[in-house]
Amino acid sequence: MPGIVICGEGLNDLYYDELGGQSGPLKICLDKLLEFFWDDASYINFFPVSRAKLADTEKGKPEKRTSIVRGLKKDIPDAKYVSICAKLLAKIAQEKSVEFGDDWGVVFFRDLDASSGNDVDKVYKAKVAAMDEGFASVQFENGVPMIPKTRSESWLL
């Protein structure tokens, strides 16, 4: 059964709001997009991964001297962390593909987090590049960076 690994700022925004008992904004958007392209998208599995779970995965492991992503530009302070997270999400999707026997993808949602002094477009491109490099480091082609720019994020909420 095919599926999508989704990760974002928090599970309430991303997948499921326990207080309200409903899907979060990103999950609703993905559902609408899937419904547009397929008549019945209910057969698609979703596997939410929190940022805390990703942090726990790497916690306590010594940092390797070899670069996670060769040629990664550090235009943003957390470029390496974003790449590592993308790589870990891709590995989870690859494990799910083996487990379920179908292709799995990743939707990686992060806020832009650009201060007013920064060039928003430069930070945006750097985060997308960091995610793409993380996916590419494990030869994963089904990763989608989702980084709403500050103005575009408000419509999503």
Side-chain angles (χ1 to χ4, degrees):
M1 182 172 276
I4 301 172
V5 174
I6 54 178
C7 180
E9 296 297 316
L11 287 179
N12 289 349
D13 298 335
L14 180 67
Y15 187 76
Y16 185 72
D17 177 11
E18 290 183 13
L19 298 175
Q22 60 186 9
S23 295
L26 179 59
K27 175 69 166 63
I28 291 170
C29 289
L30 287 173
D31 286 342
K32 294 291 183 188
L33 186 63
L34 290 171
E35 287 172 12
F36 181 77
F37 288 104
W38 290 281
D39 293 334
D40 182 18
S42 62
Y43 68 90
I44 304 240
N45 281 324
F46 285 92
F47 186 74
V49 178
S50 68
R51 285 187 356 181
K53 184 175 181 179
L54 288 177
D56 288 344
T57 304
E58 285 297 298
K59 194 177 285 186
K61 292 183 180 178
E63 187 173 320
K64 295 179 182 176
R65 287 197 53 99
T66 58
S67 174
I68 178 174
V69 181
R70 292 183 179 156
L72 177 65
K73 305 283 190 270
K74 293 186 179 183
D75 292 334
I76 55 172
D78 64 344
K80 185 172 181 181
Y81 174 73
V82 170
S83 289
I84 290 170
C85 289
K87 179 181 179 180
L88 293 172
L89 290 169
K91 286 183 175 183
I92 291 170
Q94 289 170 336
E95 291 169 5
K96 293 290 181 185
S97 292
V98 170
E99 180 181 344
F100 289 101
D102 273 318
D103 286 339
W104 275 63
V106 172
V107 175
F108 188 12
F109 178 86
R110 291 233 357 153
D111 286 336
L112 186 60
D113 294 333
S115 63
S116 59
N118 291 350
D119 180 1
V120 173
D121 289 332
K122 183 178 179 181
V123 174
Y124 173 80
K125 289 176 184 175
K127 281 201 178 185
V128 169
M131 287 182 187
D132 284 338
E133 291 293 331
F135 295 139
S137 70
V138 289
Q139 293 79 41
F140 187 76
E141 297 178 358
N142 298 331
V144 178
M146 189 170 223
I147 305 165
K149 290 188 180 180
T150 307
R151 292 183 191 109
S152 66
E153 188 175 281
S154 61
W155 71 264
L156 182 63
L157 299 176

